[in-house]
């Protein structure tokens, strides 16, 4: 309910059962997890541009490993068990000064958000994220987007690491295009994910030829950079992967659609390349 109060405070309820099975994926190490949960969340507008969000949920997870799961996953299950309960807290702040949600040409978007496995549950962890976007009008038709994202996670109390199924991933249309989805960072023939992620992009938007007035679709050229780092790995900008290419963003009748063709500029042996990619449901 976006108008739970007359002051614009929003309230929502969540009831869910998720099944995440990576055994059909070639890029991510294999495991299966079933998660059931229920929660409540609120959004509080502080100013015309600032909003604070927070929520609380209770989850039960059941992990199943397969014969080719990595040893570190077996070690994790040996330590924490196949079945876990989590009291999950979420909190975040966002500031949005963009002149349009669908077709921004100027303004900023910032958000800080965190997810926490709180005391009282089996898993005690944290995931912190920060994102900042700048939309800069270059001319009447060209808009430059600068985007940066940083993620950091870990465990506390009896947990000394971020649960592997909460890891950060990189690569794909929402991070470093031209590299296969979720393929960057630590791997043992498949991606393991990591507890830190840094990605950034520079993207120049412009309308499709002859449809300048259509605000639902536009083209862009981009440069992406970033990588994912695992526990114990030193952060090294020299390990960043880079790509460039062309993208199309379309707010279609079935939801936001983004298509991209990325060309890796800096890659290393073993990197999985996927030049043509698409995403349906979210743009940024």
């Amino acid at each position: 309910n976006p108008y739970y109060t007359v002051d614009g405070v929003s309230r929502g309820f969540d009831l869910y059962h998720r099944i995440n099975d990576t055994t059909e994926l070639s890029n991510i190490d294999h495991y299966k997890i079933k998660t059931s949960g229920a929660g409540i969340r609120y959004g509080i507008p502080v100013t015309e541009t600032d909003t604070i969000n927070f929520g609380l949920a209770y989850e039960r997870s059941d992990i199943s490993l397969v014969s080719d799961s990595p040893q570190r996953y077996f070690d994790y299950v040996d330590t924490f068990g196949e079945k876990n309960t989590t009291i999950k807290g979420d909190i975040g702040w966002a500031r949005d000064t963009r002149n349009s949600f669908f077709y921004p040409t100027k303004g900023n978007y910032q958000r800080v958000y965190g997810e926490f496995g709180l005391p009282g549950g089996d898993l005690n962890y944290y995931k912190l994220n920060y994102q900042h976007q700048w939309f800069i009008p270059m001319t009447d038709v060209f808009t430059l987007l600068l985007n940066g994202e940083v993620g950091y996670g870990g465990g506390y109390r009896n947990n000394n690491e971020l649960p592997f199924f909460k890891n950060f991933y990189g690569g794909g249309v929402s991070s470093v295009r031209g590299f296969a989805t979720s393929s960057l960072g630590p791997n043992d023939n498949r991606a393991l994910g990591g507890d830190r992620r840094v990605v950034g992009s520079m993207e120049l938007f412009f309308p499709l030829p002859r449809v300048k007035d259509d605000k639902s679709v536009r083209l862009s050229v981009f440069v992406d950079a970033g990588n994912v780092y695992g526990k114990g790995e030193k952060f090294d900008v020299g390990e960043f992967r880079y790509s460039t290419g062309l993208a199309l963003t379309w707010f279609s009748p079935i939801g936001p659609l983004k298509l991209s063709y990325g060309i890796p500029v800096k890659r290393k042996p073993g990197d999985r390349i996927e030049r043509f990619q698409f995403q349906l449901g979210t743009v940024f």
Side-chain angles (χ1 to χ4, degrees):
N1 181 1
Y3 298 102
Y4 173 60
T5 72
V6 295
D7 297 319
V9 173
S10 63
R11 183 177 70 172
F13 298 95
D14 298 303
L15 183 65
Y16 51 91
H17 179 69
R18 295 193 302 263
I19 300 175
N20 187 8
D21 183 355
T22 69
T23 60
E24 299 298 323
L25 303 177
S26 60
N27 298 333
I28 304 174
D29 260 317
H30 293 165
Y31 67 92
K32 300 177 184 178
I33 183 168
K34 298 179 181 178
T35 304
S36 300
I40 186 171
R41 48 193 162 83
Y42 290 89
I44 302 175
V46 181
T47 69
E48 290 185 358
T49 59
D50 294 66
T51 303
I52 294 175
N53 300 281
F54 59 90
L56 187 67
Y58 176 83
E59 290 185 346
R60 286 189 59 87
S61 300
D62 187 354
I63 305 169
S64 299
L65 301 180
V66 294
S67 59
D68 62 348
S69 296
Q71 183 59 45
R72 65 176 64 184
Y73 290 3
F74 285 101
D75 294 341
Y76 183 91
V77 170
D78 288 342
T79 302
F80 299 104
E82 296 179 342
K83 301 181 185 294
N84 303 118
T85 61
T86 305
I87 300 175
K88 185 167 71 74
D90 299 275
I91 188 168
W93 163 83
R95 171 174 291 171
D96 191 350
T97 63
R98 294 173 296 180
N99 61 342
S100 171
F101 177 79
F102 295 105
Y103 200 96
T105 57
K106 65 178 179 179
N108 290 265
Y109 176 71
Q110 294 184 72
R111 63 172 178 164
V112 179
Y113 54 103
E115 176 184 325
F116 304 89
L118 301 175
D122 297 327
L123 303 181
N124 302 133
Y125 67 90
Y126 60 90
K127 286 184 70 174
L128 305 175
N129 301 266
Y130 175 70
Q131 180 182 21
H132 198 159
Q133 295 181 335
W134 298 267
F135 289 89
I136 305 169
M138 307 301 289
T139 69
D140 290 341
V141 295
F142 290 98
T143 300
L144 179 66
L145 166 63
L146 303 177
N147 177 67
E149 298 179 51
V150 177
Y152 187 88
Y156 68 96
R157 296 187 76 197
N158 296 326
N159 296 57
N160 61 2
E161 61 183 290
L162 184 68
F164 69 84
F165 49 89
K166 296 287 185 178
N167 277 349
F168 294 99
Y169 289 90
V173 71
S174 62
S175 57
V176 186
R177 287 161 281 194
F179 293 88
T181 301
S182 301
S183 66
L184 296 183
N187 70 85
D188 58 355
N189 296 321
R190 299 187 185 93
L192 293 163
D195 57 9
R196 287 157 292 155
R197 184 178 86 142
V198 179
V199 296
S201 63
M202 181 168 58
E203 194 160 3
L204 185 66
F205 289 95
F206 51 93
L208 278 171
R210 299 184 181 180
V211 289
K212 178 180 178 180
D213 296 329
D214 187 347
K215 300 299 183 181
S216 67
V217 59
R218 57 180 173 175
L219 291 169
S220 64
V221 292
F222 63 83
V223 175
D224 292 342
N227 206 355
V228 174
Y229 301 87
K231 182 181 178 181
E233 289 188 338
K234 181 180 178 181
F235 173 75
D236 184 0
V237 175
E239 293 296 318
F240 273 17
R241 305 301 196 267
Y242 297 87
S243 66
T244 186
L246 181 69
L248 181 145
T249 304
W250 177 33
F251 283 89
S252 72
I254 59 174
L257 175 66
K258 192 163 190 176
L259 307 173
S260 69
Y261 184 84
I263 302 171
V265 175
K266 180 183 177 183
R267 54 186 288 190
K268 293 196 173 183
D271 286 345
R272 294 175 181 265
I273 306 304
E274 189 177 81
R275 287 184 168 82
F276 179 76
Q277 298 171 316
F278 74 95
Q279 179 174 277
L280 177 64
T282 184
V283 176
F284 302 114

